Amino acid sequence: METVAFNVEELRNDFPILSKKFNGKTLAYLDNAATSQKPRQVIKAICDFYEGYNANIHRGVYEIEEKATMKYERTREATSRFIGAESAEQIIFTRNTTESINLVAKTWGASNIRKGDKIVVSLLEHHSNVVPWQVLAKEKGALLEYINLKEDSTIDLDDFKEKIAGAKLLAITQASNVLGTLVPVKQMTSIAHQEGCTVLVDGAQSAPHMPVSMTDIGCDFFAFSSHKMLGPTGVGVLYGKREILDAMPPYNLGGDMISEVHKWDVTWNELPWKFEAGTSNIADVIAYYHAIEYLQRLGMERVREHEKSLTKYALKRLSEIKGLRYYGPDDIEMRGGIISFTLGDVHPHDIASILSREAIAIRSGYHCAQPLHEELSLGGTARASFYIYNTEEEVDRLAEALNEVRKVFAK
Amino acid sequence: METVAFNVEELRNDFPILSKKFNGKTLAYLDNAATSQKPRQVIKAICDFYEGYNANIHRGVYEIEEKATMKYERTREATSRFIGAESAEQIIFTRNTTESINLVAKTWGASNIRKGDKIVVSLLEHHSNVVPWQVLAKEKGALLEYINLKEDSTIDLDDFKEKIAGAKLLAITQASNVLGTLVPVKQMTSIAHQEGCTVLVDGAQSAPHMPVSMTDIGCDFFAFSSHKMLGPTGVGVLYGKREILDAMPPYNLGGDMISEVHKWDVTWNELPWKFEAGTSNIADVIAYYHAIEYLQRLGMERVREHEKSLTKYALKRLSEIKGLRYYGPDDIEMRGGIISFTLGDVHPHDIASILSREAIAIRSGYHCAQPLHEELSLGGTARASFYIYNTEEEVDRLAEALNEVRKVFAK
Amino acid sequence: MSDEIYKEIILDHYKNPHNFHKLKDPDFKAEDTNPLCGDHVEFSVKLQDGRVSEVGFIGRGCAISQAAASILTDLVQGKTIEELQKMEKEDLLEAMGNPDLGPVRIKCAMLSFKTLKLGLYSYLSSKSSHT
Amino acid sequence: MSDEIYKEIILDHYKNPHNFHKLKDPDFKAEDTNPLCGDHVEFSVKLQDGRVSEVGFIGRGCAISQAAASILTDLVQGKTIEELQKMEKEDLLEAMGNPDLGPVRIKCAMLSFKTLKLGLYSYLSSKSSHT
Ligand SMILES: Cc1ncc(COP(=O)(O)O)c(C=O)c1O
Ligand SMILES: Cc1ncc(COP(=O)(O)O)c(C=O)c1O
């Protein structure tokens, strides 16, 4: 695939929402860890489908149905290439990262985790990569262990090595959605595999922002969401090693995921369809192709570079604000483009509400990572998170507005 | 809601795909039982979201996020009114009918079905309303029973009354996607309830085509898909009685469906969010509102009337074709706008392929109802199915093309 | 800076909350948390001759939730139990100057209202079952 | 009526399939079903001096699957085992007149091809393990 120049001002033109006015101001969208904005290429693909070849897939033999089937499967190929998977059959489309992880917990987990087994997660995990394991552990009488963090907000690898001994599953995020911390999942996977431990990597915050490669990381499962990487809502991805997926029982049961159904028994379809029951989110999977293509043309290395330099600038600007404290690694090599912070004792919701009047969108609360907030004794944080279309000028607006917030709430 | 005149020629203008040419011909889309086409109002709503207020919902406090949250929840209210539910909290958004049914099987089913219990389905069921119960029955050592059909393709109510005695669950479709048969689910629910039996109704083929009311039918669960009723792919609905939903454990676990998460335990969120884990298919749920509104403005009574008269005409036209045999009730009051047929010994796939060259889209195969085909000793059928935008002229084109098929394959 | 949410009255009450204390020997207490934001309020109420004679609250959280609690204590002071029962959400919002709260932030404002109402109901029902 | 799929050659083979019978004492047999359409084919093959000396098929299903099977029997007649091994999907499609099959219908055409190939491989591997 040919790459194009990484020109932020130019690529902003591809995002219709960024040229709209809110309260007379351009939107500074800094909530990309929650969901990203979408380029017109993606939006257009949805319209093109519904206006030109909307049909159900995989079963019919008329023209538009065949086109829809081909485009749907094309996204699978592209996704497979994007994450450096061995083959397209190992790409399963779900609704979101959460469903991808639950699919593993309810199928692989239910048939492989037994009483006394150890499941290891980290303190960085999003609820979606905690709760399924918490509940599975309770159901099975298994143990759940949390890998600690070091002072600098990175994974404590000594603690990891201790806890991984004899573990059955490591479920770990590649990038924290609160602290921005990047996790050395390749190194950890190789250590876990020496213990005979299966590894699931939550790529929700990594796949959109940096190059990832399944054959390089070597993990057994990898989960992420289209909506956080320029694609539509309603599409998630689960990658799995082929032997493991083959051995797994299916999740949802019904149309499309079966091969034959008789009154008293049924045979499952082949990979990947075994895991895709009922009518898929056809339009959005088809449109997701254009999100992947968009990112690939920019080049994931350059996406990472852009975010790195923006994050560096933002950390500098934010640290100039009185009473502001940000969390996560100081070392820019160890963090993604996510900055969580507090501002004196101003409640994060109040910060976000006031920023909203300035058309600056940030998030506030626990960011679905309550255990981490409890560990750090934080009531909640405000969070700014960046993507390809964000600029230093937007960071400046953020810093100015935060200074205003400080004034409004000065006692 | 104000209704508008039901003028087919006019409303066809709302469907962009119907004015496109395929092989130089207008598309005669007769595969509505698989998925429906979408009006521009629905397509536009998706674009408007992505171009104007795309944001993740339920957590943030900035302007576009609040707008997205309100519009998302507005669809829930509208869906609730559309099916005459008691309250909006009883509407759960899933991916499709299949997931709605699986959700019930894996949560309610897993905790309520025990060894020796009886689950009753009918021979009319789609795989999505068979396989989850087949597998649950095997897991639990429960019994699965099939209600027979009468000669006229309607449910054998005597057989039903026998089989329902002592049953724990009745899982039944309201309209067959093969024979078109309409099922008296209200009457059956009331009989099942006298037995203390829980009732799930598969509304995938009824909710799009006729008025349905939960308080009238009285069923405990009701499942259907947006994509079969003018709405986007990727959105399904599960309705449930409140006490039952309240008592059910959640399905997917993770973000949004929890109230509090600590290192070792978790509390679930309230209805309906308890069942909606991770980032929802926000854009499509928001757009689904416009599908419901479109249907309501036409009036579901009139949708049903239109399809009835078209089906009547089609049955007449098709019965004039030599060698053609159609299945399902002759009585138009007992059937929806779905006609499955065979044409001599021409294979249904060959029929569909040849019709495709004429820009006529029909389906062929088992239509995800293999047990029914086996019962009727059918290798497969061709199926034409109608919706609001279909016309007698399209039926004429179908009839003509079928006559041609007959000639091509004459031995 | 436009701040239709953060009206002067809200900022005033947030910075200097009224009745910010716990009563000794209250007739009833009521506390609740909004798990989404961690907002917390706890009310203590004394009654005399069927009227609120004294009311206090403690809590922590965002400006909206804490200002709402403070304003609510002023609002219920001296009210009869009947008047308390009849009190509507809108009464509190009006006392707050009808700030332009969205669907998410309104929950912050309503935390106090719901907590106090629930406390009252459970007090009344426990009393009626005792007599 | 345009019918780029249903070329004359396909309709001819469908209406009058060649080699439509089961061989007695074949060297190997192979059968398979496409569950999607219920298409079924069963091949029986006799070899002599490393060549296909006789081949037959029976089956039922759509015109594409049945014509493909018939055409395939003509195609392999007299071929060496090596030639059979080297045979590609495209060879069959070409013999069928390169009909414009979509992604779904192509499976109908390929059923025969896959079935015969699989039968050949399992025959060869069973032979090699016997010697
Ligand atoms: C009666 C019936 N039930 C269930 C389904 C499954 O619907 P979905 O594919 O949207 O899950 C269908 C769709 O064909 C159907 O016709
Ligand atoms: C690290 C991480 N994991 C999982 C998720 C859940 O993603 P989704 O809501 O798309 O299921 C998120 C989203 O916030 C995340 O940041």
Side-chain angles (χ1 to χ4, degrees):
Chain A
M1 175 141 327
E2 231 180 298
T3 55
V4 293
F6 196 104
N7 180 326
V8 178
E9 282 317 318
E10 228 164 71
L11 71 82
R12 284 180 70 88
N13 292 329
D14 287 331
F15 293 79
I17 202 171
L18 299 181
S19 58
K20 293 251 157 68
K21 298 278 181 193
F22 298 86
N23 295 328
K25 304 180 186 82
T26 309
L27 178 65
Y29 185 76
L30 303 176
D31 193 17
N32 293 286
T35 198
S36 78
Q37 295 303 333
K38 325 298 175 198
R40 56 183 168 70
Q41 290 86 340
V42 168
I43 304 169
K44 181 169 177 296
I46 298 173
C47 297
D48 285 352
F49 170 73
Y50 285 129
E51 294 182 354
Y53 58 102
N54 167 67
N56 211 325
I57 55 172
H58 288 149
R59 302 245 148 201
V61 296
Y62 49 88
E63 193 178 328
I64 55 174
E65 191 277 349
E66 292 181 339
K67 183 166 174 193
T69 302
M70 270 169 59
K71 294 251 188 177
Y72 182 89
E73 294 300 332
R74 178 177 77 159
T75 305
R76 205 189 299 278
E77 309 269 347
T79 309
S80 167
R81 280 195 305 275
F82 184 75
I83 62 163
E86 296 86 353
S87 74
E89 293 83 48
Q90 292 163 262
I91 302 297
I92 297 159
F93 290 121
T94 61
R95 178 171 39 246
N96 49 33
T97 306
T98 303
E99 198 192 10
S100 296
I101 297 173
N102 275 270
L103 195 161
V104 176
K106 298 274 180 69
T107 58
W108 181 89
S111 43
N112 286 279
I113 296 293
R114 288 184 228 298
K115 201 172 147 91
D117 280 352
K118 193 158 64 169
I119 301 172
V120 178
V121 300
S122 85
L123 270 172
L124 292 173
E125 303 315 312
H126 184 279
H127 291 166
S128 296
N129 201 25
V130 170
V131 186
W133 310 119
Q134 230 181 45
V135 170
L136 182 68
K138 272 192 193 152
E139 275 172 16
K140 298 284 184 171
L143 276 90
L144 184 66
E145 298 230 44
Y146 288 82
I147 307 167
N148 287 324
L149 303 183
K150 291 197 296 187
E151 274 294 303
D152 66 356
S153 301
T154 62
I155 290 277
D156 182 338
L157 284 174
D158 292 332
D159 189 52
F160 160 68
K161 282 173 196 159
E162 236 165 68
K163 285 177 176 152
I164 202 68
K168 197 74 180 274
L169 174 72
L170 171 66
I172 183 111
T173 191
Q174 189 171 12
S176 159
N177 70 320
V178 178
L179 301 179
T181 310
L182 299 180
V183 176
V185 289
K186 178 180 177 175
Q187 183 189 353
M188 292 170 77
T189 297
S190 121
I191 295 171
H193 278 171
Q194 283 163 28
E195 295 286 329
C197 173
T198 300
V199 179
L200 175 143
V201 173
D202 174 352
Q205 296 296 349
S206 59
H209 301 286
M210 60 182 75
V212 297
S213 159
M214 296 305 101
T215 46
D216 181 49
I217 298 174
C219 55
D220 302 291
F221 295 109
F222 191 81
F224 57 106
S225 298
S226 149
H227 72 90
K228 292 188 201 283
M229 48 190 290
L230 310 184
T233 53
V235 179
V237 177
L238 175 65
Y239 155 89
K241 286 248 179 81
R242 182 193 287 275
E243 324 79 70
I244 301 182
L245 291 180
D246 268 331
M248 262 156 63
Y251 190 42
N252 288 313
L253 313 171
D256 252 21
M257 55 69 66
I258 52 86
S259 164
E260 293 190 45
V261 181
H262 308 288
K263 263 166 105 172
W264 314 112
D265 62 341
V266 58
T267 49
W268 311 129
N269 202 339
E270 297 166 24
L271 283 181
W273 303 289
K274 180 169 99 177
F275 294 104
E276 296 178 8
T279 301
S280 303
N281 187 353
I282 304 168
D284 292 329
V285 167
I286 288 175
Y288 178 41
Y289 174 87
H290 297 271
I292 292 173
E293 200 193 31
Y294 196 99
L295 287 172
Q296 267 180 330
R297 287 180 59 221
L298 289 178
M300 291 309 292
E301 301 281 0
R302 292 192 293 171
V303 169
R304 170 76 182 128
E305 280 313 311
H306 170 73
E307 291 179 24
K308 236 159 76 176
S309 87
L310 202 58
T311 305
K312 202 168 155 186
Y313 181 72
L315 288 178
K316 180 174 145 286
R317 288 300 317 256
L318 292 186
S319 54
E320 292 160 9
I321 296 170
K322 230 181 95 192
L324 187 142
R325 182 169 167 204
Y326 66 77
Y327 303 89
D330 282 314
D331 180 353
I332 210 79
E333 297 299 330
M334 303 290 258
R335 75 180 297 155
I338 290 176
I339 307 177
S340 291
F341 58 91
T342 50
L343 183 56
D345 62 356
V346 182
H347 193 282
H349 272 26
D350 292 323
I351 301 176
S353 280
I354 294 191
L355 262 54
S356 170
R357 307 294 153 145
E358 297 296 307
I360 301 170
I362 66 160
R363 190 137 296 230
S364 58
Y366 296 120
H367 320 301
C368 294
Q370 215 174 335
L372 176 62
H373 278 82
E374 288 180 357
E375 194 69 17
L376 303 175
S377 303
L378 286 169
T381 49
R383 180 184 73 185
S385 52
F386 307 120
Y387 211 11
I388 51 172
Y389 33 69
N390 290 123
T391 63
E392 295 196 350
E393 188 214 320
E394 288 175 327
V395 172
D396 292 338
R397 278 176 61 192
L398 172 68
E400 265 163 53
L402 287 173
N403 269 318
E404 280 299 322
V405 170
R406 220 169 41 79
K407 280 181 211 151
V408 171
F409 283 96
K411 294 210 175 180
Chain B
M1 176 142 324
E2 230 180 300
T3 55
V4 294
F6 195 104
N7 179 326
V8 178
E9 282 317 317
E10 229 164 68
L11 70 83
R12 284 179 71 88
N13 292 330
D14 287 330
F15 293 79
I17 203 171
L18 299 182
S19 58
K20 293 252 156 67
K21 297 279 179 189
F22 299 86
N23 295 327
K25 303 181 187 83
T26 309
L27 178 66
Y29 185 76
L30 303 176
D31 193 17
N32 293 287
T35 198
S36 78
Q37 296 303 333
K38 324 299 174 199
R40 56 182 168 72
Q41 290 86 340
V42 168
I43 304 170
K44 181 169 177 296
I46 298 174
C47 298
D48 286 351
F49 170 74
Y50 286 130
E51 295 182 353
Y53 58 102
N54 167 67
N56 211 325
I57 55 172
H58 288 150
R59 303 245 148 200
V61 296
Y62 49 88
E63 192 178 328
I64 56 174
E65 191 278 348
E66 292 182 339
K67 183 166 173 190
T69 303
M70 270 169 59
K71 293 250 189 178
Y72 182 88
E73 294 300 333
R74 178 177 78 160
T75 305
R76 205 190 299 280
E77 308 270 347
T79 308
S80 168
R81 280 194 304 275
F82 184 73
I83 63 164
E86 295 86 352
S87 74
E89 292 84 48
Q90 292 162 264
I91 302 297
I92 297 159
F93 290 122
T94 61
R95 178 170 39 245
N96 49 32
T97 306
T98 303
E99 199 193 7
S100 297
I101 296 173
N102 275 269
L103 195 162
V104 176
K106 298 274 179 68
T107 58
W108 181 90
S111 43
N112 285 280
I113 296 293
R114 289 184 225 300
K115 200 171 147 95
D117 279 352
K118 194 159 63 170
I119 300 172
V120 177
V121 301
S122 86
L123 271 172
L124 292 173
E125 303 315 312
H126 185 278
H127 291 167
S128 296
N129 201 25
V130 171
V131 186
W133 310 120
Q134 230 180 46
V135 170
L136 182 69
K138 272 191 192 152
E139 276 171 17
K140 299 283 184 170
L143 276 90
L144 184 65
E145 298 230 43
Y146 288 82
I147 307 166
N148 287 325
L149 303 182
K150 292 197 295 187
E151 275 294 302
D152 66 357
S153 300
T154 61
I155 290 278
D156 182 337
L157 284 174
D158 292 331
D159 189 51
F160 160 68
K161 282 173 196 160
E162 237 165 68
K163 284 176 177 153
I164 203 67
K168 197 76 180 270
L169 174 73
L170 170 65
I172 183 112
T173 191
Q174 189 171 11
S176 159
N177 71 320
V178 179
L179 301 179
T181 310
L182 299 181
V183 176
V185 289
K186 178 180 177 174
Q187 183 188 353
M188 291 170 77
T189 297
S190 120
I191 294 172
H193 278 172
Q194 284 163 26
E195 295 286 329
C197 173
T198 299
V199 179
L200 176 143
V201 173
D202 175 351
Q205 298 294 349
S206 59
H209 301 286
M210 60 181 75
V212 298
S213 160
M214 295 304 102
T215 46
D216 182 50
I217 297 174
C219 55
D220 302 291
F221 296 109
F222 191 81
F224 57 105
S225 298
S226 149
H227 72 90
K228 293 188 199 283
M229 49 190 289
L230 310 184
T233 52
V235 180
V237 177
L238 174 65
Y239 155 90
K241 286 247 181 82
R242 181 192 287 273
E243 324 78 69
I244 302 182
L245 291 180
D246 269 329
M248 263 157 62
Y251 190 41
N252 288 313
L253 312 171
D256 252 21
M257 54 70 65
I258 51 86
S259 164
E260 294 189 45
V261 181
H262 309 288
K263 263 165 105 170
W264 314 113
D265 61 341
V266 58
T267 48
W268 311 129
N269 202 337
E270 296 166 24
L271 284 182
W273 303 290
K274 179 168 101 178
F275 293 104
E276 294 179 9
T279 302
S280 303
N281 187 353
I282 304 169
D284 292 329
V285 167
I286 287 175
Y288 178 38
Y289 173 87
H290 296 272
I292 291 173
E293 199 193 32
Y294 196 98
L295 287 172
Q296 267 181 330
R297 287 179 59 222
L298 288 177
M300 291 308 293
E301 300 280 0
R302 292 192 293 172
V303 168
R304 169 76 181 129
E305 280 312 312
H306 170 72
E307 291 179 23
K308 236 158 77 174
S309 88
L310 202 59
T311 305
K312 202 167 154 186
Y313 181 72
L315 289 177
K316 180 174 145 285
R317 287 300 318 254
L318 292 186
S319 55
E320 292 160 8
I321 297 169
K322 228 182 97 190
L324 187 143
R325 184 172 164 201
Y326 65 79
Y327 303 89
D330 282 314
D331 181 353
I332 210 78
E333 298 299 329
M334 302 290 258
R335 74 181 298 154
I338 290 175
I339 307 177
S340 291
F341 58 90
T342 51
L343 183 57
D345 62 356
V346 181
H347 193 283
H349 272 25
D350 294 322
I351 301 176
S353 280
I354 295 191
L355 263 51
S356 171
R357 306 294 153 146
E358 297 296 306
I360 301 171
I362 65 160
R363 190 138 295 231
S364 57
Y366 296 120
H367 320 301
C368 296
Q370 215 173 335
L372 176 63
H373 279 82
E374 287 179 358
E375 193 70 17
L376 303 175
S377 303
L378 285 169
T381 50
R383 179 185 73 185
S385 52
F386 308 119
Y387 211 9
I388 51 171
Y389 34 68
N390 291 124
T391 62
E392 296 197 350
E393 188 213 318
E394 288 175 326
V395 172
D396 292 337
R397 278 175 61 192
L398 171 69
E400 266 161 52
L402 287 173
N403 269 318
E404 280 300 321
V405 171
R406 222 170 38 80
K407 280 181 211 151
V408 171
F409 283 97
K411 294 213 173 176
Chain C
M1 176 168 291
S2 69
D3 52 353
E4 298 88 333
I5 290 188
Y6 297 91
K7 309 228 172 224
E8 221 40 69
I9 182 168
I10 290 178
L11 286 173
D12 281 351
H13 276 267
Y14 174 60
K15 292 175 186 175
N16 301 298
H18 301 185
N19 308 306
F20 194 78
H21 53 253
K22 225 170 171 157
L23 303 187
K24 279 204 190 94
D25 304 318
D27 288 290
F28 70 88
K29 290 201 300 185
E31 66 175 313
D32 203 4
T33 302
N34 176 349
L36 183 59
C37 354
D39 291 343
H40 181 84
V41 290
E42 179 181 336
F43 290 92
S44 42
V45 179
K46 274 193 188 175
L47 301 168
Q48 212 172 344
D49 304 332
R51 281 185 190 276
V52 175
S53 60
E54 218 181 326
V55 54
F57 91 98
I58 56 171
R60 61 187 154 64
C62 66
I64 304 295
S65 72
Q66 300 304 303
S70 170
I71 291 167
L72 187 63
T73 57
D74 283 355
L75 203 63
V76 301
Q77 189 74 43
K79 283 230 161 54
T80 65
I81 288 181
E82 233 190 8
E83 283 169 334
L84 272 196
Q85 283 178 299
K86 282 204 187 128
M87 197 174 62
E88 305 265 0
K89 288 177 190 177
E90 286 66 31
D91 299 326
L92 173 58
L93 289 175
E94 202 187 308
M96 292 174 75
N98 285 320
D100 176 18
L101 299 167
V104 175
R105 296 311 302 280
I106 192 125
K107 288 186 193 144
C108 302
M110 285 305 130
L111 176 64
S112 298
F113 184 83
K114 274 169 49 185
T115 305
L116 193 65
K117 280 266 183 172
L118 272 174
L120 178 70
Y121 291 141
S122 82
Y123 165 73
L124 291 175
S125 67
S126 78
K127 266 201 55 176
S128 72
S129 67
H130 279 234
T131 51
Chain D
M1 177 169 292
S2 69
D3 51 353
E4 298 89 332
I5 291 187
Y6 297 90
K7 311 228 171 224
E8 220 40 71
I9 182 168
I10 289 179
L11 285 173
D12 282 351
H13 276 268
Y14 173 59
K15 293 176 186 175
N16 301 297
H18 301 185
N19 307 307
F20 194 80
H21 52 252
K22 223 169 171 160
L23 301 187
K24 278 203 192 94
D25 305 318
D27 288 290
F28 69 88
K29 290 200 298 187
E31 65 175 313
D32 203 4
T33 302
N34 175 349
L36 183 59
C37 356
D39 290 343
H40 182 85
V41 290
E42 179 181 336
F43 291 92
S44 41
V45 179
K46 276 193 186 173
L47 301 168
Q48 213 173 342
D49 304 332
R51 282 184 189 275
V52 175
S53 62
E54 217 180 328
V55 54
F57 90 98
I58 56 171
R60 62 188 152 64
C62 66
I64 305 295
S65 73
Q66 300 306 303
S70 170
I71 291 167
L72 186 64
T73 57
D74 282 357
L75 204 64
V76 301
Q77 189 73 44
K79 285 232 161 47
T80 66
I81 287 180
E82 234 190 7
E83 286 168 333
L84 269 197
Q85 283 177 299
K86 283 202 188 127
M87 196 174 62
E88 305 265 0
K89 287 177 191 175
E90 286 66 31
D91 299 327
L92 173 58
L93 288 175
E94 200 187 308
M96 291 173 75
N98 286 321
D100 175 19
L101 298 168
V104 175
R105 296 310 302 278
I106 193 127
K107 288 185 194 145
C108 301
M110 285 306 132
L111 176 66
S112 298
F113 185 84
K114 274 169 49 184
T115 306
L116 193 65
K117 280 266 183 171
L118 271 175
L120 178 70
Y121 292 140
S122 83
Y123 164 74
L124 292 174
S125 67
S126 78
K127 266 200 57 175
S128 72
S129 67
H130 278 233
T131 53

